[in-house]
Amino acid sequence: MKNNYKEYEVGYKKFGKNYQRSYPNEELCRSIGRNFSSISRKKRAKLRILEVGCGSGGNLWMLAHEGFDTYGVDFSPTSIKLAKSSLKKKKLKAKLKVQDMKLIKFPDNYFDVIIDVFSSCHLNVNENKLFLKTVYKKLKVDGYFFSYFPSKKSDQKIYKLKFNFFSKSEYIKKLKSLNFFIRYFEEVYKTYKNGKKKFVFLVTEAQKKT
């Protein structure tokens, strides 16, 4: 985790907001649409949504724009500064903190949704287990965890940074072992470099049950 963190901090300092996408993850947009499109903005304002590894805010501004009580944490101080600046320019609000995603320093049973888009894959196996345990603790009962995680079916040398891959069965097993209920699951296939490289993502909504 530490080596990847250093790489990201250097990247944000060097490239600024251009180091990360400026627009939200499409699978996250689909999840928000599935679950909240019929809910009024008044009710959305009472729903707390946290993104871990929020970076410079490519997902956060969409959540804030849609009227949710939006939170974000990231290990990189520079990314949090960039996210704050971006939200301010858009006249949007979110509560942002420099934090370790494995710990999430908020009260237990606090969030309605916790989002992880291609972030916890940078943790090692033991760290990932701790992270998922923490997510479960911080979610309200019936709250859910949205995860966009790389599959072992991917061409694993596309990116220079090292991160973990799980198979569908491995990832679902990890979540179920922590008492998550898998309420939605898809494998999303993408290609890069004009179709020469394949990347597969595990898209999951895992719900906290009593």
Side-chain angles (χ1 to χ4, degrees):
M1 179 69 179
K2 290 182 179 179
N3 290 335
N4 282 342
Y5 159 66
K6 289 179 181 178
E7 290 286 344
Y8 276 106
E9 178 65 3
V10 169
Y12 281 117
K13 284 184 175 180
K14 184 176 181 180
F15 299 106
K17 66 179 182 179
N18 294 324
Y19 188 60
Q20 192 192 43
R21 66 185 182 280
S22 298
Y23 291 89
N25 175 270
E26 58 269 37
E27 295 303 324
L28 173 60
C29 290
R30 291 178 66 197
S31 178
I32 295 299
R34 276 193 303 273
N35 293 287
F36 302 110
S37 61
S38 62
I39 295 177
S40 69
R41 291 187 69 87
K42 184 176 181 180
K43 289 183 178 179
R44 290 183 191 183
K46 297 179 181 179
L47 297 175
R48 298 188 186 111
I49 299 184
L50 167 70
E51 182 182 13
V52 298
C54 65
S56 54
N59 294 318
L60 290 178
W61 70 262
M62 178 273 290
L63 297 170
H65 175 76
E66 289 299 304
F68 298 101
D69 188 7
T70 305
Y71 295 71
V73 299
D74 200 285
F75 222 149
S76 164
T78 301
S79 73
I80 291 295
K81 289 179 182 178
L82 290 166
K84 287 180 177 179
S85 176
S86 176
L87 287 163
K88 185 176 181 180
K89 287 179 181 178
K90 291 179 172 64
K91 298 182 180 180
L92 297 169
K93 294 181 180 181
K95 303 170 183 68
L96 307 181
K97 300 287 184 181
V98 178
Q99 284 190 14
D100 184 337
M101 72 171 70
K102 301 189 301 298
L103 303 178
I104 306 179
K105 296 180 180 179
F106 287 94
D108 292 352
N109 306 302
Y110 193 70
F111 292 104
D112 296 279
V113 183
I114 295 179
I115 293 165
D116 169 27
V117 176
F118 211 59
S119 291
S120 68
C121 56
H122 298 287
L123 304 174
N124 64 38
V125 174
N126 290 332
E127 289 173 333
N128 186 268
K129 185 175 182 179
L130 174 59
F131 164 70
L132 292 175
K133 284 183 177 179
T134 302
V135 167
Y136 191 88
K137 286 169 57 180
K138 303 305 174 181
L139 281 171
K140 297 177 182 179
V141 174
D142 291 330
Y144 78 92
F145 171 53
F146 173 87
S147 175
Y148 187 77
F149 200 94
S151 166
K152 281 185 174 178
K153 293 180 180 179
S154 306
D155 294 330
Q156 298 183 20
K157 295 183 179 180
I158 294 178
Y159 293 94
K160 294 180 181 179
L161 292 175
K162 294 180 179 179
F163 44 77
N164 290 310
F165 296 81
F166 288 120
S167 68
K168 173 183 176 179
S169 60
E170 287 171 339
Y171 199 57
I172 289 178
K173 184 178 180 180
K174 285 172 71 72
L175 291 167
K176 285 186 174 180
S177 71
L178 296 170
N179 205 34
F180 276 109
F181 167 73
I182 308 302
R183 72 180 200 179
Y184 180 89
F185 186 91
E186 297 284 356
E187 288 183 305
V188 175
Y189 290 71
K190 292 190 175 184
T191 61
Y192 297 87
K193 298 184 183 297
N194 293 318
K196 294 178 181 178
K197 297 289 184 179
K198 178 183 74 174
F199 219 80
V200 182
F201 296 94
L202 308 176
V203 180
T204 313
E205 290 178 10
Q207 194 166 27
K208 177 177 178 176
K209 294 293 186 180
T210 54

